[in-house]
Amino acid sequence: MSGEEAPAQQQTPEEQKQDAQQNEEAKQEQSKPAAEAPAEKEVEEEVFTYRSLVLSGYGGYDKVKLQVKKGMPSPKTGEVVVRVKACGLNFADLLGRQGLYDRLPSPPVTPGMECSGLVEAVGEDVTDRKVGDKVIVLNRSGMWQEVVAVAASHTFLMPEGMTFEEAAAIPVNYITAYMMLFDFGNLRPNQSVLIHMAAGGVGVAATQLCKTVKDVTIFGTSSASKHEAISAMGVTHPIDYRTRDYVDEIRKISPKGLDIVLDPLGGSDTHKAFNLLRPMGKLITYGAANVLTGQRKNLIALAKTWYNQFSINAMSLMHANKAVCGYNLGYLDSEFEMITDVVAKLLDLFKQGKIKPKVDSTWHFEQVGDAMRRMQERNNIGKVILLPEPKKEEPKTEEAKKEEVKKDEAKKEEN
């Protein structure tokens, strides 16, 4: 049988049975759905992050730390989300860092009562704000971060020509100064006013507002190096409180006393303020700056201020024909209709060119310690502003590069 295939051998019944089983198994295997390929790893969505300053505990400048938070804040009903462009630094923030401001929640917490920025999202039932609006924001705390969610009623539309830095300087200082001078003080033409810390944020605001009333005589205390600046802003009689007794200086010029004294100091200075009033005069106390003497809480300064705290009974007050008022914007957070009315008047004054916030300096979030130091050491003239955007690295000068080379060479020599 050369050249031809041999006939196939016949299979035994057992071999036929095995082949049949194998064929059946093969058919079943083919009928099964193809195994799914391993699922590709889901592409992780980019998580939204934003920069925030957080008070980690009470103490020095280093207790306020820059952190990165995750997740875009979403507006609840009646709220808006604001992309923050500038934040205001206030004396209350310095007190809060030392645990001396009870309106700030316990750490860890983001401080900041005011900011300005752009509306990025609008919650339900918000009809008077839209995405893209430039707004001023006032809140109890939490404003020192890149993005904030706040009640729409706590925002105010910025007028044309106002910068974000100026907008962040408006709420706390100007509302405080306005309500003290006009709501409590009933300031009128030809009256006299004492403004302590006249170069500070409230001091500058109060001076500008006094200038909106005819022939008001302004006494302002500050260090001698700031006298030229506060005189240019409208202070009639600058007084160096470091080298002179401001009570004696005022008595020389106005023997009968003053119509209004704004007291942010507390302690023995409140007694002096009351005694400086003429009949029908008004003392408005709104702070206790005397307790702030260093980076950390000073128990001696606290005890001294408390011991010298001003106190008077109703009968003595009646016989003196004087008024004593207390003001704290932090406790008016439930009176936003009143606040809104004041802000509307302030923004009208800005549009008329009668007031204009003076920005002392701007500091990026990374520099918050330096910003607080500048304010606490009374080196500012006007408002200290914080900027959420990252600080850009400045190109190194040739001198700086040479200095680095010298340092590297010195290290090599040491090694």
Side-chain angles (χ1 to χ4, degrees):
M1 294 184 184
S2 60
E4 294 183 8
E5 292 182 359
Q9 290 182 323
Q10 287 186 346
Q11 291 179 316
T12 64
E14 287 185 4
E15 289 176 335
Q16 290 176 357
K17 189 176 181 182
Q18 287 177 355
D19 283 349
Q21 286 178 347
Q22 289 175 354
N23 290 337
E24 185 65 27
E25 287 175 0
K27 287 180 182 178
Q28 289 177 357
E29 194 66 32
Q30 289 176 0
S31 65
K32 287 182 181 178
E36 294 182 5
E40 294 183 4
K41 291 183 178 179
E42 294 182 5
V43 180
E44 291 185 3
E45 293 184 9
E46 186 177 350
V47 178
F48 179 83
T49 61
Y50 58 97
R51 291 149 51 89
S52 175
L53 290 174
V54 177
L55 178 65
S56 59
Y58 300 129
Y61 305 129
D62 61 336
K63 291 297 183 181
V64 181
K65 303 181 185 299
L66 178 59
Q67 297 183 3
V68 176
K69 294 183 178 180
K70 294 181 179 180
M72 180 71 168
S74 57
K76 299 176 183 176
T77 301
E79 288 187 341
V80 294
V81 171
V82 176
R83 168 73 63 171
V84 178
K85 297 295 183 180
C87 310
L89 174 63
N90 292 290
F91 219 80
D93 300 315
L94 304 182
L95 292 170
R97 195 193 71 237
Q98 294 189 4
L100 299 174
Y101 185 62
D102 60 358
R103 298 303 285 166
L104 181 68
S106 300
V109 62
T110 294
M113 300 169 66
E114 59 190 350
C115 69
S116 62
L118 294 165
V119 174
E120 282 205 342
V122 177
E124 293 181 12
D125 297 337
V126 176
T127 57
D128 54 352
R129 296 289 179 269
K130 64 182 185 300
V131 173
D133 280 346
K134 294 181 178 181
V135 291
I136 302 167
V137 185
L138 176 67
N139 208 50
R140 181 176 167 183
S141 62
M143 298 296 96
W144 288 1
Q145 51 190 34
E146 279 187 301
V147 184
V148 297
V150 294
S153 59
H154 289 208
T155 67
F156 313 93
L157 293 174
M158 288 170 53
E160 290 293 327
M162 179 180 282
T163 67
F164 286 115
E165 291 80 9
E166 290 172 339
I170 283 278
V172 172
N173 293 163
Y174 280 83
I175 293 171
T176 296
Y178 187 96
M179 297 185 82
M180 289 194 298
L181 287 170
F182 297 110
D183 292 334
F184 273 148
N186 190 27
L187 180 63
R188 300 189 301 278
N190 302 306
Q191 290 192 324
S192 56
V193 181
L194 170 59
I195 301 172
H196 284 292
M197 301 164 66
V202 174
V204 170
T207 300
Q208 291 183 2
L209 289 168
C210 283
K211 298 299 291 181
T212 66
V213 180
K214 188 177 178 181
D215 296 329
V216 172
T217 301
I218 306 171
F219 294 84
T221 65
S222 75
S223 56
S225 61
K226 300 177 182 179
H227 283 190
E228 184 179 350
I230 64 174
S231 295
M233 286 185 278
V235 172
T236 318
H237 303 289
I239 302 170
D240 184 2
Y241 67 96
R242 294 181 177 179
T243 60
R244 297 186 178 185
D245 186 324
Y246 67 84
V247 174
D248 290 343
E249 295 299 312
I250 292 170
R251 287 292 184 192
K252 291 175 187 176
I253 301 168
S254 182
K256 290 186 176 180
L258 305 172
D259 295 294
I260 299 173
V261 176
L262 306 182
D263 171 37
L265 304 176
S268 60
D269 286 286
T270 309
H271 290 268
K272 295 176 182 178
F274 185 79
N275 292 331
L276 274 172
L277 293 176
R278 66 191 306 167
M280 301 305 294
K282 304 172 188 72
L283 162 62
I284 300 109
T285 179
Y286 69 102
N290 285 335
V291 305
L292 206 63
T293 59
Q295 278 200 52
R296 294 168 180 80
K297 188 186 297 183
N298 186 329
L299 296 179
I300 295 175
L302 276 170
K304 186 178 179 181
T305 302
W306 180 260
Y307 180 77
N308 291 314
Q309 187 173 335
F310 177 76
S311 179
I312 189 170
N313 63 57
M315 192 63 70
S316 298
L317 197 61
M318 183 177 68
H319 292 167
N321 285 300
K322 299 177 181 180
V324 178
C325 309
Y327 181 86
N328 189 329
L329 178 59
Y331 281 88
L332 287 176
D333 50 4
S334 62
E335 301 293 339
F336 248 81
E337 287 184 12
M338 187 187 301
I339 299 297
T340 300
D341 182 57
V342 172
V343 173
K345 292 173 182 175
L346 289 169
L347 296 183
D348 282 341
L349 289 172
F350 177 86
K351 293 173 188 175
Q352 297 169 32
K354 293 183 178 180
I355 63 170
K356 184 176 177 64
K358 178 173 177 53
V359 176
D360 169 78
S361 54
T362 58
W363 306 79
H364 294 272
F365 274 4
E366 293 89 341
Q367 303 166 301
V368 62
D370 295 327
M372 290 189 293
R373 180 182 288 106
R374 180 169 180 81
M375 186 173 182
Q376 189 161 327
E377 293 179 357
R378 314 289 203 274
N379 292 324
N380 59 303
I381 300 176
K383 189 74 172 184
V384 177
I385 295 293
L386 299 174
L387 302 176
E389 66 178 4
K391 186 176 184 296
K392 295 177 182 178
E393 290 188 11
E394 297 179 2
K396 293 179 181 178
T397 62
E398 288 299 321
E399 291 182 3
K401 290 177 182 177
K402 289 178 181 178
E403 190 66 30
E404 283 190 1
V405 171
K406 287 181 182 179
K407 288 180 180 178
D408 289 340
E409 289 175 352
K411 285 182 180 178
K412 288 177 181 178
E413 289 177 5
E414 287 177 6
N415 292 333

